[in-house]
Amino acid sequence: MWRGGTAAWGLLRSGGAGSPRAASGAAAAVVQLRQRLEKELEDIRGAGTWKNERVIASRQGPHLRLAGGGAGILNFCANNYLGLSSHPEVIRAAVEALEKFGAGLSSVRFICGTQSIHKDLEEKIARFHQREDAILYASCFDANAGIFEALLTPEDAVLSDELNHASIIDGIRLCKANKYRYKHMDMQDLEAKLQEAQKHRLRLVATDGAFSMDGDIAPLREICQLAQRYDALVFIDECHATGFLGPNGRGTDELLGVMDKVTIINSTLGKALGGAAGGYTTGPKPLIDLLRQRSRPYLFSNSLPPAVVGCASKALDLLMESNAIAQSMAAKTQRFRSKMTAAGFTLSGKDHPICPVMLGDARLAAVMAEDMLNRGIYVIGFSYPVVPKGKARIRVQISAVHSDEDIDRCVEAFTEVGRKHGALP
Protein backbone atom coordinates (compact mmCIF):
# COMPACT_ATOMS: atom_id res chain seq x y z
CA MET A 1 0.00 0.00 0.00
CA TRP A 2 2.78 2.41 0.95
CA ARG A 3 4.79 1.56 -2.20
CA GLY A 4 1.70 2.17 -4.34
CA GLY A 5 1.07 5.52 -2.68
CA THR A 6 4.69 6.51 -3.22
CA ALA A 7 4.49 5.55 -6.88
CA ALA A 8 1.29 7.52 -7.33
CA TRP A 9 2.90 10.56 -5.73
CA GLY A 10 5.87 10.14 -8.06
CA LEU A 11 3.48 10.20 -11.03
CA LEU A 12 1.91 13.40 -9.74
CA ARG A 13 5.31 15.06 -9.47
CA SER A 14 6.74 13.75 -12.73
CA GLY A 15 3.68 13.64 -14.96
CA GLY A 16 3.81 9.87 -15.32
CA ALA A 17 4.24 7.86 -18.51
CA GLY A 18 1.59 7.29 -21.13
CA SER A 19 -2.11 8.09 -20.85
CA PRO A 20 -4.30 7.74 -17.74
CA ARG A 21 -5.78 4.59 -19.34
CA ALA A 22 -2.34 2.97 -19.25
CA ALA A 23 -2.07 3.42 -15.54
CA SER A 24 -4.20 1.60 -13.02
CA GLY A 25 -5.86 2.24 -9.67
CA ALA A 26 -4.58 5.17 -7.68
CA ALA A 27 -1.90 5.99 -10.25
CA ALA A 28 -4.54 6.73 -12.90
CA ALA A 29 -6.44 8.98 -10.52
CA VAL A 30 -3.25 10.90 -9.71
CA VAL A 31 -2.49 11.46 -13.39
CA GLN A 32 -6.03 12.71 -13.98
CA LEU A 33 -5.72 15.02 -10.99
CA ARG A 34 -2.43 16.42 -12.29
CA GLN A 35 -3.94 17.13 -15.70
CA ARG A 36 -6.94 18.89 -14.16
CA LEU A 37 -4.76 20.99 -11.86
CA GLU A 38 -2.41 22.00 -14.66
CA LYS A 39 -5.38 23.06 -16.79
CA GLU A 40 -6.79 25.13 -13.91
CA LEU A 41 -3.42 26.77 -13.28
CA GLU A 42 -3.05 27.58 -16.97
CA ASP A 43 -6.49 29.19 -16.93
CA ILE A 44 -5.38 31.40 -14.03
CA ARG A 45 -2.29 32.48 -15.97
CA GLY A 46 -4.36 33.08 -19.07
CA ALA A 47 -6.79 35.30 -17.18
CA GLY A 48 -3.94 37.47 -15.96
CA THR A 49 -4.72 36.75 -12.31
CA TRP A 50 -1.61 34.70 -11.44
CA LYS A 51 -0.11 35.84 -8.13
CA ASN A 52 3.67 35.81 -7.88
CA GLU A 53 5.41 35.85 -4.53
CA ARG A 54 8.40 38.15 -4.42
CA VAL A 55 11.10 37.10 -1.99
CA ILE A 56 12.39 39.71 0.46
CA ALA A 57 15.96 39.43 1.76
CA SER A 58 15.69 42.07 4.48
CA ARG A 59 13.44 42.88 7.42
CA GLN A 60 10.00 44.43 6.83
CA GLY A 61 10.02 48.19 6.52
CA PRO A 62 9.61 51.15 4.15
CA HIS A 63 12.84 50.22 2.37
CA LEU A 64 13.49 46.64 1.26
CA ARG A 65 16.08 44.47 -0.40
CA LEU A 66 14.71 41.73 -2.65
CA ALA A 67 16.37 38.35 -3.08
CA GLY A 68 18.45 38.29 -6.23
CA GLY A 69 19.93 41.74 -5.82
CA GLY A 70 17.04 44.19 -5.81
CA ALA A 71 18.09 46.88 -3.35
CA GLY A 72 16.66 50.25 -2.35
CA ILE A 73 13.08 49.17 -3.00
CA LEU A 74 10.36 51.41 -1.53
CA ASN A 75 7.68 49.23 0.06
CA PHE A 76 4.08 50.40 -0.31
CA CYS A 77 2.20 47.12 0.05
CA ALA A 78 2.65 46.00 3.67
CA ASN A 79 0.23 46.09 6.59
CA ASN A 80 3.05 47.54 8.68
CA TYR A 81 0.98 50.66 9.34
CA LEU A 82 2.96 51.96 12.31
CA GLY A 83 6.38 50.72 11.24
CA LEU A 84 6.65 48.55 14.36
CA SER A 85 7.75 45.37 12.54
CA SER A 86 11.35 46.54 12.75
CA HIS A 87 11.11 48.89 15.75
CA PRO A 88 14.20 48.27 17.93
CA GLU A 89 12.21 48.04 21.18
CA VAL A 90 9.77 45.56 19.62
CA ILE A 91 12.62 43.39 18.36
CA ARG A 92 14.37 43.55 21.74
CA ALA A 93 11.18 42.47 23.50
CA ALA A 94 10.90 39.47 21.18
CA VAL A 95 14.49 38.41 21.88
CA GLU A 96 13.99 38.74 25.63
CA ALA A 97 10.79 36.67 25.51
CA LEU A 98 12.52 34.02 23.39
CA GLU A 99 15.41 33.73 25.80
CA LYS A 100 13.21 33.65 28.92
CA PHE A 101 10.25 31.54 27.74
CA GLY A 102 11.69 29.48 24.87
CA ALA A 103 10.74 28.95 21.24
CA GLY A 104 7.27 27.57 21.82
CA LEU A 105 5.00 25.55 24.06
CA SER A 106 4.56 22.44 21.91
CA SER A 107 0.97 22.27 23.04
CA VAL A 108 -2.44 23.88 23.12
CA ARG A 109 -3.42 26.36 25.81
CA PHE A 110 -5.55 24.17 28.07
CA ILE A 111 -2.99 21.34 28.28
CA CYS A 112 0.41 22.93 28.92
CA GLY A 113 0.55 25.84 26.49
CA THR A 114 -0.28 28.86 28.65
CA GLN A 115 2.48 31.03 30.11
CA SER A 116 2.30 34.18 32.20
CA ILE A 117 3.07 36.31 29.15
CA HIS A 118 -0.05 35.00 27.37
CA LYS A 119 -2.25 36.04 30.27
CA ASP A 120 -0.46 39.39 30.55
CA LEU A 121 -1.00 40.13 26.85
CA GLU A 122 -4.69 39.20 27.04
CA GLU A 123 -5.15 41.57 29.98
CA LYS A 124 -3.32 44.31 28.07
CA ILE A 125 -5.47 43.83 24.95
CA ALA A 126 -8.66 44.08 27.01
CA ARG A 127 -7.38 47.23 28.70
CA PHE A 128 -6.38 48.79 25.37
CA HIS A 129 -9.85 48.20 23.93
CA GLN A 130 -11.56 49.01 27.25
CA ARG A 131 -13.23 45.60 27.34
CA GLU A 132 -13.65 43.01 30.09
CA ASP A 133 -11.43 40.22 28.77
CA ALA A 134 -9.59 38.90 25.70
CA ILE A 135 -8.48 35.58 24.23
CA LEU A 136 -5.49 34.95 21.94
CA TYR A 137 -5.49 32.96 18.69
CA ALA A 138 -2.84 31.97 16.17
CA SER A 139 -4.35 34.52 13.75
CA CYS A 140 -7.43 36.68 13.36
CA PHE A 141 -8.51 34.22 10.66
CA ASP A 142 -8.69 31.67 13.48
CA ALA A 143 -10.48 34.13 15.75
CA ASN A 144 -13.11 34.65 13.04
CA ALA A 145 -13.33 30.91 12.43
CA GLY A 146 -13.86 30.28 16.12
CA ILE A 147 -16.41 32.80 17.31
CA PHE A 148 -19.60 32.37 15.26
CA GLU A 149 -19.85 28.60 15.69
CA ALA A 150 -19.31 28.88 19.44
CA LEU A 151 -21.71 31.78 19.95
CA LEU A 152 -24.60 31.24 17.52
CA THR A 153 -27.14 28.41 17.27
CA PRO A 154 -29.93 27.57 14.78
CA GLU A 155 -32.18 29.82 16.89
CA ASP A 156 -29.99 32.86 16.13
CA ALA A 157 -29.20 35.07 13.13
CA VAL A 158 -26.07 36.73 11.79
CA LEU A 159 -26.23 39.69 9.40
CA SER A 160 -23.05 40.19 7.39
CA ASP A 161 -21.84 42.96 5.06
CA GLU A 162 -21.43 41.50 1.57
CA LEU A 163 -17.80 42.70 1.33
CA ASN A 164 -16.66 41.33 4.68
CA HIS A 165 -13.26 39.68 4.80
CA ALA A 166 -13.04 36.07 3.66
CA SER A 167 -12.30 34.93 7.22
CA ILE A 168 -15.60 36.39 8.47
CA ILE A 169 -17.44 34.73 5.60
CA ASP A 170 -15.78 31.38 6.32
CA GLY A 171 -16.46 31.71 10.06
CA ILE A 172 -20.14 32.39 9.41
CA ARG A 173 -20.33 29.37 7.08
CA LEU A 174 -19.19 27.16 9.96
CA CYS A 175 -22.04 28.17 12.26
CA LYS A 176 -25.66 26.96 12.15
CA ALA A 177 -27.27 30.37 12.60
CA ASN A 178 -29.66 31.85 10.05
CA LYS A 179 -27.57 33.89 7.63
CA TYR A 180 -28.43 37.27 6.12
CA ARG A 181 -26.18 39.30 3.83
CA TYR A 182 -26.76 43.02 3.43
CA LYS A 183 -25.46 45.28 0.65
CA HIS A 184 -22.11 46.91 1.34
CA MET A 185 -22.55 49.63 3.97
CA ASP A 186 -26.20 50.00 2.91
CA MET A 187 -28.12 50.90 6.04
CA GLN A 188 -31.53 50.65 4.41
CA ASP A 189 -30.80 47.08 3.39
CA LEU A 190 -29.41 46.27 6.84
CA GLU A 191 -32.56 47.61 8.46
CA ALA A 192 -34.73 45.50 6.15
CA LYS A 193 -32.68 42.42 7.04
CA LEU A 194 -32.93 43.24 10.76
CA GLN A 195 -36.69 43.50 10.46
CA GLU A 196 -36.78 40.13 8.70
CA ALA A 197 -34.55 38.61 11.40
CA GLN A 198 -36.75 39.66 14.32
CA LYS A 199 -38.16 36.14 14.50
CA HIS A 200 -34.80 34.80 15.70
CA ARG A 201 -33.60 34.68 19.31
CA LEU A 202 -30.33 36.61 18.97
CA ARG A 203 -29.25 38.90 16.12
CA LEU A 204 -25.57 39.67 15.48
CA VAL A 205 -24.48 42.29 12.93
CA ALA A 206 -20.99 41.44 11.64
CA THR A 207 -18.84 43.91 9.73
CA ASP A 208 -15.26 44.85 9.04
CA GLY A 209 -14.41 48.10 10.79
CA ALA A 210 -12.20 49.09 7.84
CA PHE A 211 -12.52 47.11 4.61
CA SER A 212 -9.14 45.86 3.47
CA MET A 213 -9.70 45.87 -0.30
CA ASP A 214 -11.44 49.25 -0.60
CA GLY A 215 -10.09 51.32 2.28
CA ASP A 216 -13.57 52.44 3.35
CA ILE A 217 -14.78 52.57 6.94
CA ALA A 218 -18.01 50.98 8.14
CA PRO A 219 -20.73 53.45 9.25
CA LEU A 220 -20.60 52.19 12.82
CA ARG A 221 -22.72 54.98 14.27
CA GLU A 222 -25.62 54.05 12.02
CA ILE A 223 -25.04 50.32 12.49
CA CYS A 224 -25.10 50.70 16.27
CA GLN A 225 -28.25 52.83 16.11
CA LEU A 226 -30.01 50.14 14.08
CA ALA A 227 -28.70 47.42 16.39
CA GLN A 228 -30.12 49.27 19.38
CA ARG A 229 -33.46 49.80 17.63
CA TYR A 230 -33.80 46.12 16.70
CA ASP A 231 -32.20 44.60 19.81
CA ALA A 232 -29.10 43.26 18.06
CA LEU A 233 -25.42 42.90 18.95
CA VAL A 234 -22.53 44.35 16.92
CA PHE A 235 -19.33 42.50 15.97
CA ILE A 236 -16.44 44.23 14.18
CA ASP A 237 -13.22 42.93 12.66
CA GLU A 238 -10.58 45.58 13.32
CA CYS A 239 -7.53 44.10 11.57
CA HIS A 240 -7.08 47.19 9.39
CA ALA A 241 -7.93 49.67 12.14
CA THR A 242 -6.32 48.57 15.41
CA GLY A 243 -3.34 50.72 16.31
CA PHE A 244 -3.92 53.76 14.12
CA LEU A 245 -7.60 54.71 13.69
CA GLY A 246 -9.10 56.88 16.40
CA PRO A 247 -7.42 59.46 18.66
CA ASN A 248 -5.52 56.74 20.54
CA GLY A 249 -5.39 54.10 17.82
CA ARG A 250 -8.06 51.91 19.40
CA GLY A 251 -9.93 51.48 16.11
CA THR A 252 -13.06 52.44 14.24
CA ASP A 253 -15.28 52.28 17.33
CA GLU A 254 -13.09 54.92 18.99
CA LEU A 255 -12.87 56.94 15.76
CA LEU A 256 -16.66 57.08 15.49
CA GLY A 257 -17.45 57.35 19.20
CA VAL A 258 -19.25 54.04 19.70
CA MET A 259 -16.86 52.09 21.92
CA ASP A 260 -19.66 51.44 24.41
CA LYS A 261 -22.03 50.15 21.71
CA VAL A 262 -19.85 47.51 19.99
CA THR A 263 -20.09 44.19 21.82
CA ILE A 264 -17.33 42.07 20.23
CA ILE A 265 -14.03 42.98 18.57
CA ASN A 266 -11.78 40.62 16.67
CA SER A 267 -8.41 41.87 15.53
CA THR A 268 -4.83 40.95 14.72
CA LEU A 269 -1.36 41.25 16.14
CA GLY A 270 0.07 40.63 12.68
CA LYS A 271 -0.39 44.07 11.13
CA ALA A 272 0.04 47.33 13.05
CA LEU A 273 0.81 45.62 16.38
CA GLY A 274 4.27 44.31 15.58
CA GLY A 275 3.48 42.49 12.34
CA ALA A 276 4.47 38.97 13.43
CA ALA A 277 1.34 36.83 13.85
CA GLY A 278 -1.57 36.22 16.18
CA GLY A 279 -5.13 37.41 16.61
CA TYR A 280 -7.65 37.88 19.37
CA THR A 281 -11.24 38.35 20.45
CA THR A 282 -12.08 40.91 23.12
CA GLY A 283 -15.46 41.58 24.71
CA PRO A 284 -17.66 40.48 27.64
CA LYS A 285 -15.94 38.08 30.03
CA PRO A 286 -18.65 35.37 29.79
CA LEU A 287 -18.15 35.30 26.01
CA ILE A 288 -14.37 34.94 26.39
CA ASP A 289 -14.88 32.19 28.96
CA LEU A 290 -17.19 30.36 26.53
CA LEU A 291 -14.63 30.64 23.73
CA ARG A 292 -12.00 29.03 25.93
CA GLN A 293 -14.36 26.06 26.33
CA ARG A 294 -15.90 25.81 22.85
CA SER A 295 -13.83 27.63 20.20
CA ARG A 296 -12.23 24.95 18.05
CA PRO A 297 -9.29 26.97 16.62
CA TYR A 298 -8.36 27.93 20.20
CA LEU A 299 -8.75 24.43 21.62
CA PHE A 300 -6.86 22.63 18.83
CA SER A 301 -4.06 25.08 17.91
CA ASN A 302 -0.72 25.57 19.64
CA SER A 303 -0.38 28.68 21.77
CA LEU A 304 1.36 31.73 20.33
CA PRO A 305 5.19 31.55 20.42
CA PRO A 306 6.69 33.66 23.20
CA ALA A 307 8.64 35.86 20.77
CA VAL A 308 5.39 36.80 19.01
CA VAL A 309 3.76 37.58 22.36
CA GLY A 310 6.74 39.74 23.33
CA CYS A 311 6.51 41.73 20.08
CA ALA A 312 2.81 42.44 20.43
CA SER A 313 3.04 43.29 24.11
CA LYS A 314 5.74 45.90 23.49
CA ALA A 315 3.80 47.33 20.53
CA LEU A 316 0.79 47.87 22.80
CA ASP A 317 3.02 49.47 25.43
CA LEU A 318 4.27 51.98 22.85
CA LEU A 319 0.73 52.80 21.75
CA MET A 320 -0.60 53.25 25.27
CA GLU A 321 2.36 55.43 26.25
CA SER A 322 1.79 57.89 23.39
CA ASN A 323 -0.60 58.42 20.50
CA ALA A 324 2.05 60.21 18.41
CA ILE A 325 2.68 57.25 16.07
CA ALA A 326 -1.02 56.67 15.46
CA GLN A 327 -1.65 60.35 14.81
CA SER A 328 1.17 60.58 12.25
CA MET A 329 -0.82 58.48 9.79
CA ALA A 330 -3.47 61.04 8.85
CA ALA A 331 -1.19 63.62 7.20
CA LYS A 332 0.80 61.01 5.28
CA THR A 333 -2.37 59.35 4.01
CA GLN A 334 -3.85 62.69 2.93
CA ARG A 335 -0.65 63.60 1.10
CA PHE A 336 -0.71 60.45 -1.02
CA ARG A 337 -4.45 60.53 -1.72
CA SER A 338 -4.51 64.19 -2.74
CA LYS A 339 -1.46 63.94 -5.00
CA MET A 340 -2.74 60.77 -6.74
CA THR A 341 -6.17 62.31 -7.29
CA ALA A 342 -4.56 65.45 -8.72
CA ALA A 343 -2.58 63.25 -11.11
CA GLY A 344 -5.84 61.81 -12.46
CA PHE A 345 -6.12 58.47 -10.67
CA THR A 346 -9.31 57.19 -9.01
CA LEU A 347 -8.78 55.99 -5.45
CA SER A 348 -11.27 53.97 -3.45
CA GLY A 349 -12.05 54.63 0.19
CA LYS A 350 -11.46 57.75 2.23
CA ASP A 351 -9.04 58.86 4.96
CA HIS A 352 -7.57 55.38 5.37
CA PRO A 353 -3.94 54.35 4.71
CA ILE A 354 -5.28 51.61 2.43
CA CYS A 355 -5.37 53.52 -0.86
CA PRO A 356 -6.62 51.30 -3.72
CA VAL A 357 -5.75 52.71 -7.14
CA MET A 358 -8.70 51.54 -9.22
CA LEU A 359 -7.82 50.24 -12.70
CA GLY A 360 -10.56 47.72 -13.55
CA ASP A 361 -8.55 45.41 -15.80
CA ALA A 362 -6.60 42.56 -14.16
CA ARG A 363 -3.84 42.50 -16.77
CA LEU A 364 -3.35 46.25 -16.51
CA ALA A 365 -3.04 46.03 -12.73
CA ALA A 366 -0.48 43.22 -12.98
CA VAL A 367 1.59 44.91 -15.69
CA MET A 368 1.60 48.28 -13.95
CA ALA A 369 2.62 46.71 -10.63
CA GLU A 370 5.53 44.96 -12.37
CA ASP A 371 6.58 48.19 -14.04
CA MET A 372 6.39 50.01 -10.71
CA LEU A 373 8.82 47.48 -9.25
CA ASN A 374 11.20 48.19 -12.13
CA ARG A 375 11.13 51.80 -10.90
CA GLY A 376 11.90 50.73 -7.34
CA ILE A 377 8.34 50.82 -5.96
CA TYR A 378 6.96 47.60 -4.46
CA VAL A 379 3.17 47.44 -4.92
CA ILE A 380 0.82 44.56 -5.74
CA GLY A 381 -2.01 44.26 -8.26
CA PHE A 382 -5.21 42.75 -6.87
CA SER A 383 -7.67 40.94 -9.10
CA TYR A 384 -10.30 38.21 -8.98
CA PRO A 385 -10.90 36.21 -6.78
CA VAL A 386 -9.37 38.57 -4.19
CA VAL A 387 -11.61 41.36 -5.49
CA PRO A 388 -14.70 41.14 -7.76
CA LYS A 389 -14.23 40.76 -11.50
CA GLY A 390 -13.82 44.11 -13.22
CA LYS A 391 -12.62 45.72 -9.98
CA ALA A 392 -8.87 45.11 -10.32
CA ARG A 393 -6.68 47.60 -8.57
CA ILE A 394 -3.22 48.26 -7.17
CA ARG A 395 -3.54 48.54 -3.42
CA VAL A 396 -1.14 51.05 -1.90
CA GLN A 397 -0.63 51.11 1.87
CA ILE A 398 0.86 54.06 3.67
CA SER A 399 3.01 53.57 6.77
CA ALA A 400 3.92 55.97 9.56
CA VAL A 401 7.58 55.41 8.67
CA HIS A 402 7.21 56.57 5.05
CA SER A 403 8.78 59.98 4.53
CA ASP A 404 7.20 62.71 2.42
CA GLU A 405 9.94 62.06 -0.13
CA ASP A 406 8.98 58.35 -0.24
CA ILE A 407 5.34 59.25 -0.89
CA ASP A 408 6.20 61.79 -3.61
CA ARG A 409 8.49 59.31 -5.35
CA CYS A 410 5.67 56.72 -5.37
CA VAL A 411 3.23 59.21 -6.91
CA GLU A 412 5.76 60.18 -9.59
CA ALA A 413 6.32 56.52 -10.51
CA PHE A 414 2.57 55.90 -10.70
CA THR A 415 2.15 58.88 -13.00
CA GLU A 416 4.91 57.69 -15.36
CA VAL A 417 3.64 54.11 -15.44
CA GLY A 418 0.00 55.18 -15.77
CA ARG A 419 0.77 57.29 -18.82
CA LYS A 420 2.88 54.54 -20.35
CA HIS A 421 0.07 51.96 -20.11
CA GLY A 422 -2.86 54.23 -20.93
CA ALA A 423 -4.31 54.47 -17.42
CA LEU A 424 -3.81 58.23 -17.55
CA PRO A 425 -4.29 60.60 -20.51
Side-chain angles (χ1 to χ4, degrees):
M1 184 67 179
W2 175 251
R3 288 193 297 272
T6 303
W9 176 242
L11 280 172
L12 180 59
R13 296 178 62 191
S14 67
S19 68
R21 292 180 181 274
S24 63
V30 171
V31 172
Q32 290 171 352
L33 173 63
R34 181 185 181 89
Q35 291 173 343
R36 182 177 67 79
L37 295 177
E38 288 180 342
K39 172 64 168 58
E40 190 168 340
L41 292 171
E42 189 56 40
D43 289 344
I44 294 172
R45 293 187 184 94
T49 58
W50 185 266
K51 295 160 189 64
N52 291 308
E53 295 184 4
R54 296 173 181 138
V55 180
I56 298 171
S58 63
R59 53 174 72 172
Q60 181 67 274
H63 301 267
L64 298 176
R65 180 168 55 85
L66 298 182
I73 302 297
L74 272 176
N75 181 15
F76 278 91
C77 61
N79 298 316
N80 186 26
Y81 295 111
L82 300 178
L84 297 181
S85 295
S86 53
H87 193 287
E89 291 187 50
V90 172
I91 294 173
R92 192 178 307 118
V95 172
E96 290 173 358
L98 181 66
E99 290 177 342
K100 182 175 181 180
F101 292 99
L105 278 298
S106 306
S107 188
V108 299
R109 287 281 298 269
F110 81 94
I111 299 178
C112 57
T114 298
Q115 292 174 317
S116 58
I117 52 173
H118 295 99
K119 301 303 293 182
D120 291 343
L121 178 56
E122 287 169 338
E123 185 277 331
K124 195 174 293 185
I125 288 168
R127 181 155 41 92
F128 177 72
H129 285 285
Q130 299 180 4
R131 296 310 198 273
E132 293 178 9
D133 202 356
I135 180 173
L136 291 170
Y137 287 89
S139 68
C140 190
F141 205 113
D142 277 349
N144 286 341
I147 188 166
F148 300 104
E149 184 181 24
L151 176 63
L152 302 175
T153 74
E155 298 180 62
D156 304 318
V158 57
L159 302 93
S160 175
D161 188 294
E162 66 179 349
L163 293 189
N164 275 340
H165 190 268
S167 59
I168 300 176
I169 295 169
D170 285 357
I172 290 173
R173 284 173 177 163
L174 290 171
C175 79
K176 296 179 179 179
N178 298 274
K179 302 168 180 67
Y180 297 81
R181 185 174 66 172
Y182 63 92
K183 296 175 184 176
H184 181 49
M185 300 200 309
D186 186 328
M187 295 300 95
Q188 287 186 335
D189 194 39
L190 174 57
E191 183 168 18
K193 297 296 194 300
L194 280 167
Q195 291 171 347
E196 186 179 350
Q198 286 301 292
K199 57 183 177 281
H200 304 299
R201 181 187 64 172
L202 182 150
R203 291 157 296 285
L204 178 69
V205 180
T207 181
D208 279 314
F211 291 84
S212 61
M213 289 298 110
D214 294 281
D216 47 10
I217 296 171
L220 280 184
R221 289 195 192 100
E222 293 81 358
I223 289 173
C224 290
Q225 288 169 0
L226 287 173
Q228 188 170 8
R229 186 180 309 163
Y230 292 99
D231 194 23
L233 304 175
V234 177
F235 161 97
I236 55 174
D237 179 311
E238 288 284 79
C239 286
H240 292 275
T242 299
F244 57 93
L245 286 189
N248 300 290
R250 288 186 169 89
T252 55
D253 61 338
E254 183 189 47
L255 177 71
L256 298 173
V258 291
M259 290 186 70
D260 60 335
K261 295 179 175 60
V262 172
T263 307
I264 307 166
I265 294 173
N266 277 11
S267 195
T268 184
L269 306 172
K271 293 181 171 57
L273 301 184
Y280 58 85
T281 297
T282 185
K285 190 177 189 310
L287 169 65
I288 304 305
D289 289 342
L290 179 68
L291 293 176
R292 293 192 196 279
Q293 304 302 314
R294 295 276 180 83
S295 181
R296 290 165 67 85
Y298 177 83
L299 290 170
F300 296 104
S301 297
N302 269 21
S303 52
L304 278 179
V308 172
V309 177
C311 281
S313 185
K314 176 53 69 172
L316 282 169
D317 287 342
L318 294 172
L319 282 175
M320 288 192 281
E321 287 168 7
S322 169
N323 66 354
I325 302 177
Q327 289 302 302
S328 70
M329 292 297 307
K332 295 175 187 287
T333 298
Q334 178 59 29
R335 185 182 188 92
F336 179 79
R337 284 183 171 273
S338 61
K339 284 179 172 285
M340 286 291 285
T341 301
F345 288 101
T346 298
L347 272 63
S348 180
K350 181 182 178 183
D351 300 331
H352 194 283
I354 292 175
C355 304
V357 182
M358 304 305 292
L359 299 169
D361 182 74
R363 289 180 183 276
L364 176 63
V367 169
M368 282 185 59
E370 193 65 36
D371 219 350
M372 289 287 288
L373 185 61
N374 294 334
R375 287 166 167 77
I377 309 293
Y378 188 3
V379 290
I380 295 293
F382 285 75
S383 55
Y384 181 81
V386 179
V387 297
K389 289 182 179 179
K391 298 287 187 179
R393 80 278 312 262
I394 293 176
R395 188 179 72 174
V396 177
Q397 289 168 277
I398 306 300
S399 172
V401 288
H402 282 132
S403 68
D404 288 348
E405 291 74 18
D406 293 339
I407 292 170
D408 293 348
R409 182 179 156 195
C410 182
V411 173
E412 290 168 6
F414 259 112
T415 304
E416 292 174 9
V417 171
R419 287 175 179 157
K420 174 182 175 181
H421 294 284
L424 289 178

